């Protein structure tokens, strides 16, 4: 049985609401949720991205590759350098003489905890939202982005 959701406005008023406000409000709320949950296991969201990238890279990743891969993600860009430094300081990553960052055993453990947290976040946030509704939402947002001149190639 599906829970009844109380929306901010009746449908006739909600359809008149600005998409920019609601996408901003959703982003702010969801990012606070995700970042708070990740902080509870000892990692920032950008650090999680780098750990994930290092884990998936067979031969590690350079600092430049990590920054380039994430510079379009939520305005992280060059600020990622500090997060990388902190991961190295905490021995989650080790930087080889070749300049490549490789994940350590401790980094793998942190990655595992963060991945479990991310899976739980997704379940909680998607509660009561079908895959069909989610897919429709993303397609509508992407169509609106394209209509506004946005670049869809910068996807997650």
């Amino acid at each position: 049985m599906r829970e009844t959701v109380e929306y901010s406005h009746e449908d006739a008023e909600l359809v008149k609401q600005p998409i920019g406000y609601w996408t901003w409000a959703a982003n702010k709320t969801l990012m606070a949720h995700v970042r708070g949950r990740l902080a509870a296991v000892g990692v920032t969201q950008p650090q999680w991205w780098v750990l994930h990238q290092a884990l998936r890279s067979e031969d590690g990743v350079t600092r430049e590759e990590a920054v380039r891969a994430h510079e379009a993600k939520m305005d992280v860009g060059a600020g990622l350098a500090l997060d990388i430094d902190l991961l190295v300081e905490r021995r989650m990553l080790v930087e080889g003489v070749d300049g490549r960052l490789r994940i350590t055993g401790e980094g793998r453990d942190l990655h595992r905890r963060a991945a479990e947290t991310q899976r739980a976040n997704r379940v909680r946030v998607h509660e009561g939202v079908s895959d069909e509704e989610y897919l429709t939402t993303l397609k509508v947002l992407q169509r609106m982005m394209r209509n506004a001149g946005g670049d869809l190639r910068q996807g997650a």
Side-chain angles (χ1 to χ4, degrees):
M1 184 172 139
R2 222 179 214 184
E3 174 185 329
T4 303
V5 177
E6 289 188 34
Y7 293 100
S8 61
H9 300 77
E10 295 296 323
D11 288 358
E13 287 298 314
L14 193 55
V15 75
K16 297 175 187 174
Q17 292 289 306
I19 191 69
Y21 170 78
W22 287 107
T23 54
W24 168 82
N27 180 61
K28 186 176 176 182
T29 301
L30 295 170
M31 288 300 95
H33 177 79
V34 167
R35 289 176 176 175
R37 300 281 177 165
L38 286 172
V41 297
V43 68
T44 67
Q45 189 177 39
Q47 288 170 349
W48 153 250
W49 294 334
V50 173
L51 285 175
H52 193 71
Q53 184 181 14
L55 182 73
R56 298 282 183 232
S57 299
E58 192 171 306
D59 194 34
V61 62
T62 66
R63 290 171 179 270
E64 294 76 25
E65 289 168 342
V67 169
R68 195 170 43 252
H70 300 292
E71 62 191 353
K73 284 189 177 175
M74 297 187 222
D75 301 323
V76 173
L80 197 59
L82 178 58
D83 285 299
I84 293 169
D85 289 343
L86 290 171
L87 288 169
V88 171
E89 284 177 27
R90 292 174 59 197
R91 295 185 174 90
M92 302 296 141
L93 295 174
V94 63
E95 190 165 6
V97 294
D98 59 359
R100 300 194 75 74
L101 300 162
R102 292 173 181 85
I103 195 163
T104 65
E106 293 89 352
R108 286 177 190 279
D109 288 343
L110 179 58
H111 180 274
R112 180 190 46 74
R113 290 192 312 275
E116 289 169 0
T117 298
Q118 289 291 65
R119 283 190 289 275
N121 286 340
R122 189 176 201 289
V123 168
R124 182 174 182 175
V125 169
H126 284 241
E127 188 175 316
V129 178
S130 71
D131 287 348
E132 182 179 308
E133 289 171 311
Y134 183 69
L135 181 60
T136 297
T137 300
L138 294 183
K139 286 183 173 182
V140 168
L141 287 172
Q142 288 187 8
R143 192 172 21 205
M144 293 176 95
M145 288 170 62
R146 188 178 56 245
N147 291 347
D151 183 359
L152 302 181
R153 294 173 296 177
Q154 298 296 325

